[in-house]
Amino acid sequence: MKALYICDNKDEWIKLNGLFSGNFPKVDLICCLNGSDALDHLSYEGPFAIVMIEASIREEDPSTLGQRIIDTVGERPIIFMGSEVHIKDRVDNDLYNGHPINAIINTPYDVEVFKEVISTTLEWAKKEEFEESIEEIDKEELLPMRVRNFYMFKVVPYDVYLELTQTKFIKIIKRNQPYTHAKIQNYAKKNIKNLYLGKNDFIRMLEDGIEKVTTGLSQKNSTLKSIFGNQIRGALIIQQYIRAIGVSDDIQDLCSLIIETTDKTIRRYESPTDVIDKIPFKTCDFAEQAILTSYYCEAILHNLGWKSDLSRKKLGLASLLQDATLSNEDLIRVSGAEDPNLQMFTREEQDEYLSHPIQAAEIAKQFQGYSEADFIIAQQHEKPNGTGFPFGVTANKMTAHSCAFILASTYVSRLAISGKKADDKDRIIDQLKVDYNLGNFKEPLMALVKTVKT
């Protein structure tokens, strides 16, 4: 078992280490100077049976720090250490009384009191199965679930794991136990992209997610924030489901619903720009790029006066499926087959990137009622001068629909790679004018310019 001690006085570290080694030699005591270090340890080196906070810590409020810890990693025993004066002045009674196993140990230490409090806390931890939360699991038995999915729930009926090594995993969420979104957010901030579930649980969670998103998008008079949030979650589910399982009737229905709500949302406003400027584009992941691309495709259709439902459907499906076969989200930052950044990835990931237009096109063929969507997806990385991939075709070999999609997708991906500063939009458009203003690209390009520049 592990215990964590937060104190900015290293002399106290020595005293506490002596107490633990003399009375609880099997407990691994880790000491840190501040809350930031503590949260790092809690996130990556746990599980910790005990968290101890020195009440005299100078640059942080001990009660606030205690609440941050609970919000991040969930309920667990917190012991406040220190003189009676510091405990009285700096420990919030509500926080202290908020968990039955929370405790206070006054300094100077009374060894018997220390042993009693620590023993009680360790017993609680054993009961809560802290010792069993690090498990040896064959990775083939688990599937990676994007962290973003867990914002859809507060309780999941599954055990959720964080990968430590190829065979060691920490159970960070216990089935049917509430967890905080702050806890999930902390993993996201640390650039952890996936948590792991058993294969059957993975499928059930995606199915639950489909139901939640479908319900959300079917509600009338939803706010833009709600619509965009559900569409992005839906895109994320579609991409994961297709990679792990394939195409199902539920996935086809969800794609259709996202495309339909995109059209309806655009039509609610006088200008497509009024809608697009409100779409969240913070993480710039595959899901956000899919939805933003679909809206730019809608805007291009709107500005060109193309009212065909088929045009809308095939560009919408292309937006949702374009990156569905890519497993490493960092490939977002690769701009093409000749991009030197591609060499930073494994050979398997490079091959995956170079083949993903064809693979995504094959998936599109399984959808009914989206004729030519597969051709559009296959050409997503082509360029007017024939230097794109996988075919190297030139502008005169591409349909107007392919050109519209390539422009929308390229604009969004370049925006994701950029620093997203105020002038990036205009700069990217000016680049596109130089490279794409010919053949069937001309009219869609002007429609995109009108959307961005309005």
Side-chain angles (χ1 to χ4, degrees), residues 8 33-35 55-62 65 68 90:
D8 53 13
L33 290 167
N34 53 52
S56 65
I57 192 167
R58 284 167 292 188
E59 295 187 6
E60 299 185 68
D61 178 80
L65 176 56
R68 281 174 62 199
R90 306 193 72 203

Side-chain angles (χ1 to χ4, degrees), residues 256-290:
S256 179
L257 182 58
I258 291 174
I259 294 166
E260 179 185 332
T261 53
T262 299
D263 175 38
K264 288 181 178 178
T265 304
I266 286 279
R267 291 174 182 270
R268 279 169 54 183
Y269 290 81
E270 187 171 330
S271 166
T273 308
D274 295 337
V275 179
I276 291 173
D277 285 345
K278 295 179 175 64
I279 297 173
F281 201 53
K282 297 177 182 178
T283 64
C284 302
D285 59 15
F286 289 156
E288 285 188 355
Q289 286 202 38

Side-chain angles (χ1 to χ4, degrees), residues 151-393:
Y151 292 118
M152 298 177 66
F153 307 91
K154 291 184 179 178
V155 177
V156 289
Y158 330 110
D159 291 326
V160 182
Y161 299 90
L162 173 69
E163 182 181 19
L164 286 180
T165 69
Q166 285 290 316
T167 58
K168 285 189 177 182
F169 294 81
I170 295 178
K171 187 188 297 182
I172 61 166
I173 298 174
K174 295 173 67 175
R175 62 179 69 241
N176 299 317
Q177 294 295 312
Y179 61 90
T180 64
H181 287 180
K183 178 176 182 176
I184 301 303
Q185 188 176 37
N186 187 59
Y187 291 120
K189 286 179 179 178
K190 299 298 182 182
N191 204 33
I192 291 174
K193 294 183 170 64
N194 294 310
L195 300 175
Y196 288 81
L197 292 88
K199 291 181 179 179
N200 290 336
D201 290 343
F202 177 92
I203 295 170
R204 283 193 288 267
M205 186 166 179
L206 287 181
E207 290 173 344
D208 288 345
I210 291 172
E211 184 177 343
K212 276 182 171 288
V213 169
T214 300
T215 299
L217 288 177
S218 299
Q219 292 180 351
K220 295 181 179 179
N221 302 318
S222 295
T223 63
L224 282 180
K225 181 178 180 180
S226 175
I227 292 170
F228 296 146
N230 279 304
Q231 287 181 323
I232 291 169
R233 293 184 193 104
L236 179 65
I237 290 168
I238 289 164
Q239 293 161 0
Q240 292 179 113
Y241 197 104
I242 284 172
R243 277 199 302 274
I245 304 164
V247 178
S248 69
D249 290 344
D250 286 343
I251 287 297
Q252 296 199 53
D253 290 344
L254 181 56
C255 287
S256 179
L257 182 58
I258 291 174
I259 294 166
E260 179 185 332
T261 53
T262 299
D263 175 38
K264 288 181 178 178
T265 304
I266 286 279
R267 291 174 182 270
R268 279 169 54 183
Y269 290 81
E270 187 171 330
S271 166
T273 308
D274 295 337
V275 179
I276 291 173
D277 285 345
K278 295 179 175 64
I279 297 173
F281 201 53
K282 297 177 182 178
T283 64
C284 302
D285 59 15
F286 289 156
E288 285 188 355
Q289 286 202 38
I291 297 306
L292 190 58
T293 300
S294 71
Y295 274 93
Y296 273 113
C297 286
E298 282 280 355
I300 290 171
L301 293 176
H302 176 90
N303 289 332
L304 288 173
W306 295 357
K307 298 181 180 180
S308 164
D309 283 340
L310 181 56
S311 296
R312 178 170 299 106
K313 289 177 66 176
K314 57 191 178 184
L315 291 182
L317 187 67
S319 301
L320 293 171
L321 299 187
Q322 58 181 324
D323 296 317
T325 63
L326 293 175
S327 56
N328 188 341
E329 202 106 25
D330 291 333
L331 285 165
I332 280 174
R333 303 205 167 275
V334 177
S335 61
E338 303 303 319
D339 188 338
N341 287 326
L342 185 58
Q343 303 304 314
M344 297 170 61
F345 295 87
T346 66
R347 171 50 58 188
E348 183 181 62
E349 289 168 339
Q350 292 178 44
D351 292 343
E352 188 179 83
Y353 178 79
L354 294 173
S355 63
H356 84 273
I358 300 297
Q359 291 177 345
E362 289 299 315
I363 290 169
K365 290 179 181 179
Q366 300 177 48
F367 285 73
Q368 302 298 315
Y370 296 87
S371 63
E372 298 182 6
D374 56 321
F375 294 107
I376 294 171
I377 294 173
Q379 293 180 345
Q380 62 181 283
H381 289 292
E382 300 293 349
K383 296 180 180 179
N385 61 5
T387 61
F389 76 97
F391 306 112
V393 296

Side-chain angles (χ1 to χ4, degrees), residues 50 54 169 176 320 324 336 396 445:
I50 310 169
E54 170 55 50
F169 294 81
N176 299 317
L320 293 171
N396 61 355
L445 177 59

Side-chain angles (χ1 to χ4, degrees), residues 424-436:
D424 282 334
K425 291 183 177 182
D426 290 340
R427 177 179 55 78
I428 294 169
I429 283 293
D430 290 340
Q431 292 172 349
L432 294 178
K433 285 181 180 178
V434 173
D435 298 331
Y436 289 84

